[in-house]
Amino acid sequence: MRILHISDLHFWTITCNPFYLLNKRLIGNLNLVTRRRRHIRQERAGSFIELMKGLCPDVVLVGGDLTTTALDSEYEKASGFLSRLQTVCPDIYVIPGNHDYYTFESQRKGRFEKYLGRYNPLSDPFVSYHSINDIALVCLSTVRPNLFSSRGFISKPHRDAAQKILWELQEQQVIVLAHYPCLYTTPEYHTGLTRRLEGALPLREMLGGVGRSILYLAGHVHVFSHGCDPVYANVTQVTTAPLFYEKNKQPGGFTEIVADKDDFKIFPWTYDEGWTRCKESLPAQG
Ligand SMILES: [Fe+2]
Ligand SMILES: [Fe+2]
């Protein structure tokens, strides 16, 4: 079974409408004009869909940050892209990233739910469970709008709800899908105070206490990494590169996960004048 994890697509549009710039989006737009639009090559969407026609994944997991400043026009691009992807792979699951709830206004208007809710069939808006063949998928929403920062958040009731699901699982293999990594620092990245997940330590403790092997998939840090939790050896974390990124030391890409009996094999893909599958990644020991 072939599962793809894509994240941080960051479809973008630049707005000059002052009504939309009366909040944090003003900073986001300045960042877009001066930097980010050069690094997010959204025109690669077509070549990715073509690649998928050959790769034929069974499931695609989308780890959030599909937009940049949560505008309707960005959501329309993201929704159109997923509609095309769904013609190749019908089984798509999507969770939000912090950029998808970029402003309080975007959350109030329910843009994520309006444009992408069909890929996010949550019985609970923060935690959901799906059985995919013999693999359990637990989706965790770890985002909320912030006035200035990019902090994520997971509350105790949501951790408790996830714990209850994890304890009761019958499946052999478990994937937890979230936007924020639960490790603040690995050899590949460090998340500062304003960009990290509030509640990550008790989340790790909860996942560790479940006792069974868990593959924790995240995005947000814009770099591929793969390692075991240094304290809770049953938890392996993979962070995936932004799909359309192009920056000197941070190539874009995605992660292919091959479910093999009771094991997951991890293959990062990168983009360098074309999509390239790298050799199998083995987890760094914490
Ligand atoms: Fe991102
Ligand atoms: Fe993010």
Side-chain angles (χ1 to χ4, degrees), residues 38 47 58 61 64 80 114 119 127 132 187 221 227 261:
R38 287 199 301 276
S47 74
D58 298 290
L61 308 177
K114 174 182 167 189
Y119 303 107
V127 185
I132 307 166
V221 288
K261 287 187 181 167

Side-chain angles (χ1 to χ4, degrees), residues 80 160 173 181 228 264:
D160 290 347
Q173 294 172 286
C228 295
F264 290 121

Side-chain angles (χ1 to χ4, degrees), residues 8 65 98-99 179 220:
D8 297 83
D65 277 2
N98 54 305
H99 280 260
H179 180 64
H220 185 66

